[in-house]
mmCIF file with all atom_site columns, all heavy atoms in Angstrom:
data_model
loop_
_atom_site.group_PDB
_atom_site.id
_atom_site.type_symbol
_atom_site.label_atom_id
_atom_site.label_alt_id
_atom_site.label_comp_id
_atom_site.label_asym_id
_atom_site.label_entity_id
_atom_site.label_seq_id
_atom_site.pdbx_PDB_ins_code
_atom_site.Cartn_x
_atom_site.Cartn_y
_atom_site.Cartn_z
_atom_site.occupancy
_atom_site.B_iso_or_equiv
_atom_site.pdbx_formal_charge
_atom_site.auth_seq_id
_atom_site.auth_comp_id
_atom_site.auth_asym_id
_atom_site.auth_atom_id
_atom_site.pdbx_PDB_model_num
ATOM 1   N N   . PRO A 1 452 ? 40.869 25.870 60.096 1.00 98.00 ? 452 PRO A N   1
ATOM 2   C CA  . PRO A 1 452 ? 39.890 26.891 60.486 1.00 98.00 ? 452 PRO A CA  1
ATOM 3   C C   . PRO A 1 452 ? 39.498 26.740 61.956 1.00 98.00 ? 452 PRO A C   1
ATOM 4   O O   . PRO A 1 452 ? 39.176 25.648 62.419 1.00 98.00 ? 452 PRO A O   1
ATOM 5   C CB  . PRO A 1 452 ? 38.695 26.613 59.571 1.00 98.00 ? 452 PRO A CB  1
ATOM 6   C CG  . PRO A 1 452 ? 39.264 25.825 58.417 1.00 98.00 ? 452 PRO A CG  1
ATOM 7   C CD  . PRO A 1 452 ? 40.382 25.013 59.005 1.00 98.00 ? 452 PRO A CD  1
ATOM 8   N N   . LYS A 1 453 ? 39.558 27.841 62.680 1.00 98.00 ? 453 LYS A N   1
ATOM 9   C CA  . LYS A 1 453 ? 39.131 27.853 64.073 1.00 98.00 ? 453 LYS A CA  1
ATOM 10  C C   . LYS A 1 453 ? 37.609 28.003 64.152 1.00 98.00 ? 453 LYS A C   1
ATOM 11  O O   . LYS A 1 453 ? 36.944 28.301 63.148 1.00 98.00 ? 453 LYS A O   1
ATOM 12  C CB  . LYS A 1 453 ? 39.806 29.014 64.820 1.00 98.00 ? 453 LYS A CB  1
ATOM 13  C CG  . LYS A 1 453 ? 41.332 28.981 64.766 1.00 98.00 ? 453 LYS A CG  1
ATOM 14  C CD  . LYS A 1 453 ? 41.958 30.210 65.422 1.00 98.00 ? 453 LYS A CD  1
ATOM 15  C CE  . LYS A 1 453 ? 43.470 30.252 65.199 1.00 98.00 ? 453 LYS A CE  1
ATOM 16  N NZ  . LYS A 1 453 ? 44.100 31.463 65.782 1.00 98.00 ? 453 LYS A NZ  1
ATOM 17  N N   . LYS A 1 454 ? 37.076 27.822 65.331 1.00 97.00 ? 454 LYS A N   1
ATOM 18  C CA  . LYS A 1 454 ? 35.645 28.050 65.495 1.00 97.00 ? 454 LYS A CA  1
ATOM 19  C C   . LYS A 1 454 ? 35.269 29.463 65.047 1.00 97.00 ? 454 LYS A C   1
ATOM 20  O O   . LYS A 1 454 ? 34.210 29.684 64.459 1.00 97.00 ? 454 LYS A O   1
ATOM 21  C CB  . LYS A 1 454 ? 35.228 27.827 66.957 1.00 97.00 ? 454 LYS A CB  1
ATOM 22  C CG  . LYS A 1 454 ? 33.721 27.941 67.179 1.00 97.00 ? 454 LYS A CG  1
ATOM 23  C CD  . LYS A 1 454 ? 33.321 27.656 68.619 1.00 97.00 ? 454 LYS A CD  1
ATOM 24  C CE  . LYS A 1 454 ? 31.814 27.807 68.798 1.00 97.00 ? 454 LYS A CE  1
ATOM 25  N NZ  . LYS A 1 454 ? 31.386 27.556 70.196 1.00 97.00 ? 454 LYS A NZ  1
ATOM 26  N N   . SER A 1 455 ? 36.177 30.415 65.295 1.00 98.00 ? 455 SER A N   1
ATOM 27  C CA  . SER A 1 455 ? 35.905 31.800 64.889 1.00 98.00 ? 455 SER A CA  1
ATOM 28  C C   . SER A 1 455 ? 35.732 31.931 63.384 1.00 98.00 ? 455 SER A C   1
ATOM 29  O O   . SER A 1 455 ? 34.980 32.799 62.913 1.00 98.00 ? 455 SER A O   1
ATOM 30  C CB  . SER A 1 455 ? 37.018 32.723 65.375 1.00 98.00 ? 455 SER A CB  1
ATOM 31  O OG  . SER A 1 455 ? 38.281 32.311 64.877 1.00 98.00 ? 455 SER A OG  1
ATOM 32  N N   . ALA A 1 456 ? 36.396 31.080 62.609 1.00 98.00 ? 456 ALA A N   1
ATOM 33  C CA  . ALA A 1 456 ? 36.254 31.133 61.152 1.00 98.00 ? 456 ALA A CA  1
ATOM 34  C C   . ALA A 1 456 ? 34.825 30.740 60.737 1.00 98.00 ? 456 ALA A C   1
ATOM 35  O O   . ALA A 1 456 ? 34.242 31.342 59.821 1.00 98.00 ? 456 ALA A O   1
ATOM 36  C CB  . ALA A 1 456 ? 37.274 30.226 60.476 1.00 98.00 ? 456 ALA A CB  1
ATOM 37  N N   . TYR A 1 457 ? 34.270 29.737 61.405 1.00 98.00 ? 457 TYR A N   1
ATOM 38  C CA  . TYR A 1 457 ? 32.898 29.324 61.099 1.00 98.00 ? 457 TYR A CA  1
ATOM 39  C C   . TYR A 1 457 ? 31.903 30.385 61.545 1.00 98.00 ? 457 TYR A C   1
ATOM 40  O O   . TYR A 1 457 ? 30.893 30.637 60.874 1.00 98.00 ? 457 TYR A O   1
ATOM 41  C CB  . TYR A 1 457 ? 32.607 27.982 61.769 1.00 98.00 ? 457 TYR A CB  1
ATOM 42  C CG  . TYR A 1 457 ? 33.337 26.839 61.109 1.00 98.00 ? 457 TYR A CG  1
ATOM 43  C CD1 . TYR A 1 457 ? 34.619 26.469 61.514 1.00 98.00 ? 457 TYR A CD1 1
ATOM 44  C CD2 . TYR A 1 457 ? 32.749 26.133 60.049 1.00 98.00 ? 457 TYR A CD2 1
ATOM 45  C CE1 . TYR A 1 457 ? 35.299 25.436 60.901 1.00 98.00 ? 457 TYR A CE1 1
ATOM 46  C CE2 . TYR A 1 457 ? 33.422 25.086 59.420 1.00 98.00 ? 457 TYR A CE2 1
ATOM 47  C CZ  . TYR A 1 457 ? 34.696 24.743 59.850 1.00 98.00 ? 457 TYR A CZ  1
ATOM 48  O OH  . TYR A 1 457 ? 35.372 23.725 59.224 1.00 98.00 ? 457 TYR A OH  1
ATOM 49  N N   . TRP A 1 458 ? 32.196 31.029 62.686 1.00 98.00 ? 458 TRP A N   1
ATOM 50  C CA  . TRP A 1 458 ? 31.360 32.149 63.135 1.00 98.00 ? 458 TRP A CA  1
ATOM 51  C C   . TRP A 1 458 ? 31.411 33.286 62.121 1.00 98.00 ? 458 TRP A C   1
ATOM 52  O O   . TRP A 1 458 ? 30.395 33.858 61.738 1.00 98.00 ? 458 TRP A O   1
ATOM 53  C CB  . TRP A 1 458 ? 31.859 32.614 64.503 1.00 98.00 ? 458 TRP A CB  1
ATOM 54  C CG  . TRP A 1 458 ? 31.148 33.826 65.046 1.00 98.00 ? 458 TRP A CG  1
ATOM 55  C CD1 . TRP A 1 458 ? 29.994 33.837 65.771 1.00 98.00 ? 458 TRP A CD1 1
ATOM 56  C CD2 . TRP A 1 458 ? 31.547 35.199 64.914 1.00 98.00 ? 458 TRP A CD2 1
ATOM 57  N NE1 . TRP A 1 458 ? 29.646 35.129 66.095 1.00 98.00 ? 458 TRP A NE1 1
ATOM 58  C CE2 . TRP A 1 458 ? 30.583 35.980 65.577 1.00 98.00 ? 458 TRP A CE2 1
ATOM 59  C CE3 . TRP A 1 458 ? 32.625 35.837 64.299 1.00 98.00 ? 458 TRP A CE3 1
ATOM 60  C CZ2 . TRP A 1 458 ? 30.662 37.376 65.644 1.00 98.00 ? 458 TRP A CZ2 1
ATOM 61  C CZ3 . TRP A 1 458 ? 32.706 37.226 64.350 1.00 98.00 ? 458 TRP A CZ3 1
ATOM 62  C CH2 . TRP A 1 458 ? 31.724 37.980 65.021 1.00 98.00 ? 458 TRP A CH2 1
ATOM 63  N N   . TRP A 1 459 ? 32.634 33.593 61.665 1.00 98.00 ? 459 TRP A N   1
ATOM 64  C CA  . TRP A 1 459 ? 32.834 34.680 60.696 1.00 98.00 ? 459 TRP A CA  1
ATOM 65  C C   . TRP A 1 459 ? 32.048 34.425 59.424 1.00 98.00 ? 459 TRP A C   1
ATOM 66  O O   . TRP A 1 459 ? 31.412 35.328 58.872 1.00 98.00 ? 459 TRP A O   1
ATOM 67  C CB  . TRP A 1 459 ? 34.324 34.804 60.393 1.00 98.00 ? 459 TRP A CB  1
ATOM 68  C CG  . TRP A 1 459 ? 34.689 35.933 59.501 1.00 98.00 ? 459 TRP A CG  1
ATOM 69  C CD1 . TRP A 1 459 ? 34.713 35.923 58.125 1.00 98.00 ? 459 TRP A CD1 1
ATOM 70  C CD2 . TRP A 1 459 ? 35.072 37.254 59.884 1.00 98.00 ? 459 TRP A CD2 1
ATOM 71  N NE1 . TRP A 1 459 ? 35.097 37.144 57.640 1.00 98.00 ? 459 TRP A NE1 1
ATOM 72  C CE2 . TRP A 1 459 ? 35.325 37.985 58.702 1.00 98.00 ? 459 TRP A CE2 1
ATOM 73  C CE3 . TRP A 1 459 ? 35.239 37.883 61.117 1.00 98.00 ? 459 TRP A CE3 1
ATOM 74  C CZ2 . TRP A 1 459 ? 35.743 39.315 58.714 1.00 98.00 ? 459 TRP A CZ2 1
ATOM 75  C CZ3 . TRP A 1 459 ? 35.642 39.216 61.135 1.00 98.00 ? 459 TRP A CZ3 1
ATOM 76  C CH2 . TRP A 1 459 ? 35.893 39.912 59.952 1.00 98.00 ? 459 TRP A CH2 1
ATOM 77  N N   . LYS A 1 460 ? 32.112 33.203 58.942 1.00 98.00 ? 460 LYS A N   1
ATOM 78  C CA  . LYS A 1 460 ? 31.414 32.836 57.699 1.00 98.00 ? 460 LYS A CA  1
ATOM 79  C C   . LYS A 1 460 ? 29.917 33.123 57.819 1.00 98.00 ? 460 LYS A C   1
ATOM 80  O O   . LYS A 1 460 ? 29.317 33.721 56.925 1.00 98.00 ? 460 LYS A O   1
ATOM 81  C CB  . LYS A 1 460 ? 31.653 31.355 57.403 1.00 98.00 ? 460 LYS A CB  1
ATOM 82  C CG  . LYS A 1 460 ? 30.904 30.809 56.185 1.00 98.00 ? 460 LYS A CG  1
ATOM 83  C CD  . LYS A 1 460 ? 31.228 29.333 55.984 1.00 98.00 ? 460 LYS A CD  1
ATOM 84  C CE  . LYS A 1 460 ? 30.352 28.694 54.924 1.00 98.00 ? 460 LYS A CE  1
ATOM 85  N NZ  . LYS A 1 460 ? 30.641 29.226 53.574 1.00 98.00 ? 460 LYS A NZ  1
ATOM 86  N N   . LYS A 1 461 ? 29.340 32.732 58.935 1.00 97.00 ? 461 LYS A N   1
ATOM 87  C CA  . LYS A 1 461 ? 27.900 32.927 59.116 1.00 97.00 ? 461 LYS A CA  1
ATOM 88  C C   . LYS A 1 461 ? 27.547 34.408 59.238 1.00 97.00 ? 461 LYS A C   1
ATOM 89  O O   . LYS A 1 461 ? 26.552 34.873 58.677 1.00 97.00 ? 461 LYS A O   1
ATOM 90  C CB  . LYS A 1 461 ? 27.435 32.163 60.356 1.00 97.00 ? 461 LYS A CB  1
ATOM 91  C CG  . LYS A 1 461 ? 25.924 31.976 60.433 1.00 97.00 ? 461 LYS A CG  1
ATOM 92  C CD  . LYS A 1 461 ? 25.550 30.897 61.437 1.00 97.00 ? 461 LYS A CD  1
ATOM 93  C CE  . LYS A 1 461 ? 24.041 30.654 61.434 1.00 97.00 ? 461 LYS A CE  1
ATOM 94  N NZ  . LYS A 1 461 ? 23.658 29.577 62.388 1.00 97.00 ? 461 LYS A NZ  1
ATOM 95  N N   . VAL A 1 462 ? 28.370 35.152 59.960 1.00 98.00 ? 462 VAL A N   1
ATOM 96  C CA  . VAL A 1 462 ? 28.134 36.591 60.101 1.00 98.00 ? 462 VAL A CA  1
ATOM 97  C C   . VAL A 1 462 ? 28.263 37.286 58.748 1.00 98.00 ? 462 VAL A C   1
ATOM 98  O O   . VAL A 1 462 ? 27.438 38.128 58.375 1.00 98.00 ? 462 VAL A O   1
ATOM 99  C CB  . VAL A 1 462 ? 29.101 37.200 61.133 1.00 98.00 ? 462 VAL A CB  1
ATOM 100 C CG1 . VAL A 1 462 ? 29.037 38.727 61.104 1.00 98.00 ? 462 VAL A CG1 1
ATOM 101 C CG2 . VAL A 1 462 ? 28.774 36.701 62.537 1.00 98.00 ? 462 VAL A CG2 1
ATOM 102 N N   . SER A 1 463 ? 29.291 36.935 57.996 1.00 98.00 ? 463 SER A N   1
ATOM 103 C CA  . SER A 1 463 ? 29.510 37.556 56.687 1.00 98.00 ? 463 SER A CA  1
ATOM 104 C C   . SER A 1 463 ? 28.369 37.244 55.725 1.00 98.00 ? 463 SER A C   1
ATOM 105 O O   . SER A 1 463 ? 27.934 38.122 54.965 1.00 98.00 ? 463 SER A O   1
ATOM 106 C CB  . SER A 1 463 ? 30.844 37.068 56.108 1.00 98.00 ? 463 SER A CB  1
ATOM 107 O OG  . SER A 1 463 ? 31.063 37.592 54.825 1.00 98.00 ? 463 SER A OG  1
ATOM 108 N N   . GLU A 1 464 ? 27.897 36.026 55.759 1.00 97.00 ? 464 GLU A N   1
ATOM 109 C CA  . GLU A 1 464 ? 26.809 35.643 54.846 1.00 97.00 ? 464 GLU A CA  1
ATOM 110 C C   . GLU A 1 464 ? 25.500 36.337 55.189 1.00 97.00 ? 464 GLU A C   1
ATOM 111 O O   . GLU A 1 464 ? 24.752 36.770 54.310 1.00 97.00 ? 464 GLU A O   1
ATOM 112 C CB  . GLU A 1 464 ? 26.616 34.119 54.890 1.00 97.00 ? 464 GLU A CB  1
ATOM 113 C CG  . GLU A 1 464 ? 27.729 33.347 54.208 1.00 97.00 ? 464 GLU A CG  1
ATOM 114 C CD  . GLU A 1 464 ? 27.621 31.845 54.426 1.00 97.00 ? 464 GLU A CD  1
ATOM 115 O OE1 . GLU A 1 464 ? 26.790 31.390 55.250 1.00 97.00 ? 464 GLU A OE1 1
ATOM 116 O OE2 . GLU A 1 464 ? 28.397 31.122 53.764 1.00 97.00 ? 464 GLU A OE2 1
ATOM 117 N N   . ASN A 1 465 ? 25.223 36.449 56.499 1.00 96.00 ? 465 ASN A N   1
ATOM 118 C CA  . ASN A 1 465 ? 23.932 36.999 56.930 1.00 96.00 ? 465 ASN A CA  1
ATOM 119 C C   . ASN A 1 465 ? 23.971 38.480 57.254 1.00 96.00 ? 465 ASN A C   1
ATOM 120 O O   . ASN A 1 465 ? 22.921 39.104 57.460 1.00 96.00 ? 465 ASN A O   1
ATOM 121 C CB  . ASN A 1 465 ? 23.419 36.218 58.139 1.00 96.00 ? 465 ASN A CB  1
ATOM 122 C CG  . ASN A 1 465 ? 23.153 34.762 57.815 1.00 96.00 ? 465 ASN A CG  1
ATOM 123 O OD1 . ASN A 1 465 ? 22.623 34.457 56.751 1.00 96.00 ? 465 ASN A OD1 1
ATOM 124 N ND2 . ASN A 1 465 ? 23.536 33.865 58.711 1.00 96.00 ? 465 ASN A ND2 1
ATOM 125 N N   . LYS A 1 466 ? 25.196 39.035 57.351 1.00 97.00 ? 466 LYS A N   1
ATOM 126 C CA  . LYS A 1 466 ? 25.402 40.460 57.675 1.00 97.00 ? 466 LYS A CA  1
ATOM 127 C C   . LYS A 1 466 ? 24.864 40.810 59.058 1.00 97.00 ? 466 LYS A C   1
ATOM 128 O O   . LYS A 1 466 ? 24.566 41.969 59.348 1.00 97.00 ? 466 LYS A O   1
ATOM 129 C CB  . LYS A 1 466 ? 24.751 41.376 56.617 1.00 97.00 ? 466 LYS A CB  1
ATOM 130 C CG  . LYS A 1 466 ? 25.158 41.092 55.185 1.00 97.00 ? 466 LYS A CG  1
ATOM 131 C CD  . LYS A 1 466 ? 26.608 41.411 54.946 1.00 97.00 ? 466 LYS A CD  1
ATOM 132 C CE  . LYS A 1 466 ? 27.015 41.290 53.491 1.00 97.00 ? 466 LYS A CE  1
ATOM 133 N NZ  . LYS A 1 466 ? 27.116 39.903 53.009 1.00 97.00 ? 466 LYS A NZ  1
ATOM 134 N N   . LYS A 1 467 ? 24.743 39.792 59.929 1.00 97.00 ? 467 LYS A N   1
ATOM 135 C CA  . LYS A 1 467 ? 24.226 40.011 61.277 1.00 97.00 ? 467 LYS A CA  1
ATOM 136 C C   . LYS A 1 467 ? 25.108 39.279 62.278 1.00 97.00 ? 467 LYS A C   1
ATOM 137 O O   . LYS A 1 467 ? 25.641 38.208 61.994 1.00 97.00 ? 467 LYS A O   1
ATOM 138 C CB  . LYS A 1 467 ? 22.786 39.493 61.386 1.00 97.00 ? 467 LYS A CB  1
ATOM 139 C CG  . LYS A 1 467 ? 21.797 40.288 60.538 1.00 97.00 ? 467 LYS A CG  1
ATOM 140 C CD  . LYS A 1 467 ? 20.396 39.720 60.652 1.00 97.00 ? 467 LYS A CD  1
ATOM 141 C CE  . LYS A 1 467 ? 19.417 40.512 59.782 1.00 97.00 ? 467 LYS A CE  1
ATOM 142 N NZ  . LYS A 1 467 ? 18.040 39.954 59.836 1.00 97.00 ? 467 LYS A NZ  1
ATOM 143 N N   . LEU A 1 468 ? 25.239 39.864 63.469 1.00 97.00 ? 468 LEU A N   1
ATOM 144 C CA  . LEU A 1 468 ? 26.049 39.263 64.518 1.00 97.00 ? 468 LEU A CA  1
ATOM 145 C C   . LEU A 1 468 ? 25.279 38.160 65.225 1.00 97.00 ? 468 LEU A C   1
ATOM 146 O O   . LEU A 1 468 ? 24.056 38.258 65.417 1.00 97.00 ? 468 LEU A O   1
ATOM 147 C CB  . LEU A 1 468 ? 26.468 40.330 65.527 1.00 97.00 ? 468 LEU A CB  1
ATOM 148 C CG  . LEU A 1 468 ? 27.359 41.443 64.979 1.00 97.00 ? 468 LEU A CG  1
ATOM 149 C CD1 . LEU A 1 468 ? 27.583 42.517 66.043 1.00 97.00 ? 468 LEU A CD1 1
ATOM 150 C CD2 . LEU A 1 468 ? 28.691 40.887 64.490 1.00 97.00 ? 468 LEU A CD2 1
#
Side-chain angles (χ1 to χ4, degrees):
K453 303 175 187 178
K454 185 177 179 181
S455 58
Y457 288 89
W458 176 86
W459 184 273
K460 176 180 171 68
K461 196 164 184 179
V462 170
S463 177
E464 288 172 351
N465 297 319
K466 307 293 187 287
K467 293 179 181 178
L468 297 174

